[in-house]
Amino acid sequence: MDAKARNCLLQYREALERDIRTSYIMDHMISDGGLTVLEEEKVKIEPTQQQRAAMLIKIILKKDNYSYISFYNALLHEGYRELAALLHGGVPVVSSSTGKDSAGGITSYVRTVLCEGGVPQRPVVFVTRKKLVNAIQQKLFKLNGDPGWVTVYGMAGCGKSVLAAEAVRDHTLLEDCFPGGVHWVSVGKQDKSGLLMKLQNLCTRLSQDDSFSQRLPLNIEEAKDRLRILMLRKHPRSLLILDDVWDPWVLKAFDNQCQILLTTRDKSVTDSVMGSKYVVPVESGLGKEKGLEILSLFVNMKKADLPEEAHSIIRECKVVECRHWGIFADLLHKWNQPEENTCVLRLQNICDC
Ligand SMILES: Nc1ncnc2c1ncn2[C@@H]1O[C@H](COP(=O)(O)OP(=O)(O)OP(=O)(O)O)[C@@H](O)[C@H]1O
Ligand SMILES: [Mg+2]
């Protein structure tokens, strides 16, 4: 859902929760596809009118622009003109065709889910790696709703984190496999207290819209229990993404019957965890041809038009690592400037390390 629509709902949440009667509004929303019958059931089981309204708004907040519009139209139909007027400013402009149209095939639903889950954005210059992204997605589909692990592994800087983020940037995958959303955790190299802090932060994130706030878990064991309950009760069918895992003992804290996608340099980190396991290896470098292709993207030129220097840069390197792509482009820009020798030196430094 667009930020403007979302803000409107949040801003007038109190008035909406106080005044609306949910049953007829939901009938309208179901008839135009803005709400599912399952979601209606979730609202209906709430004991009071106000709680039902609160649940309906909570559900809409997790949905897309179409649900917002459907809710707005339902308010108008049911005579809540004043409330509809409050939401009018947030009504998003949407494409008249499919609702899945959007830049690069990324729908507003995908954008919202990834943004809420803390998934990093694409690098400014982005190179598609379709085969690898598909391989990760296939493994995620294979989890089929059951607990398990998909491990993306490879050398430092080979693009694992970018690939993991890219794999979940997909409407169908999110809708079919992880309707509960995704939660990105940058794990990194940790000691016990570092891990506890990561777990505490994750628990806080996952229990954010709780009306009561619990105290933070005091140790890893307690945090693990809290996480299990939160994932089971509040975030079923969601995906936990553990980025940059270094140590197998860290994974014990997450070995909780969840669905997990993780990136690591060390394939053996999942050796002692439970559940189905799938792996996707990422090669450490790219071929020279792909290297030239990438360089051409970075400097915004056709591959055939690249100057000889570009070929020298790629020839000089034994492997073309993703983390060096930006630097190569920078070198190419500066190649003919007076500090050319510095460029050669920088290039040699990169390629030797
Ligand atoms: N598909 C891509 N398109 C453009 N740039 C990329 C791509 N993949 C990686 N990069 C560049 O390479 C850098 C390193 O990528 P990334 O962080 O994904 O590597 P990693 O394998 O996760 O590294 P580490 O093992 O250190 O965690 C990124 O910050 C980005 O600049
Ligand atoms: Mg990484």
Side-chain angles (χ1 to χ4, degrees), residues 40 120 171 198 220 279:
E40 183 193 31
H171 192 104
K198 292 275 169 194
I220 293 178
V279 292

Side-chain angles (χ1 to χ4, degrees), residues 123 125-127 155-162 244 265 322-323 325:
V125 179
F126 174 69
V127 179
M155 280 171 62
C158 67
K160 302 177 291 293
S161 305
V162 173
D244 198 21
R265 298 177 191 178
C322 319
R323 63 186 166 146
W325 294 342

Side-chain angles (χ1 to χ4, degrees), residues 4-5 7-19 68 71-72 75-76 80-91:
K4 216 164 97 189
N7 284 344
C8 244
L9 267 182
L10 290 172
Q11 189 178 350
Y12 301 114
R13 190 177 200 165
E14 221 173 279
L16 291 161
E17 287 176 4
R18 196 181 46 234
D19 293 344
Y68 183 97
F71 181 50
Y72 170 80
L75 288 176
L76 276 181
Y80 296 100
R81 293 196 174 274
E82 280 164 8
L83 289 176
L86 294 177
L87 297 191
H88 184 262
V91 174

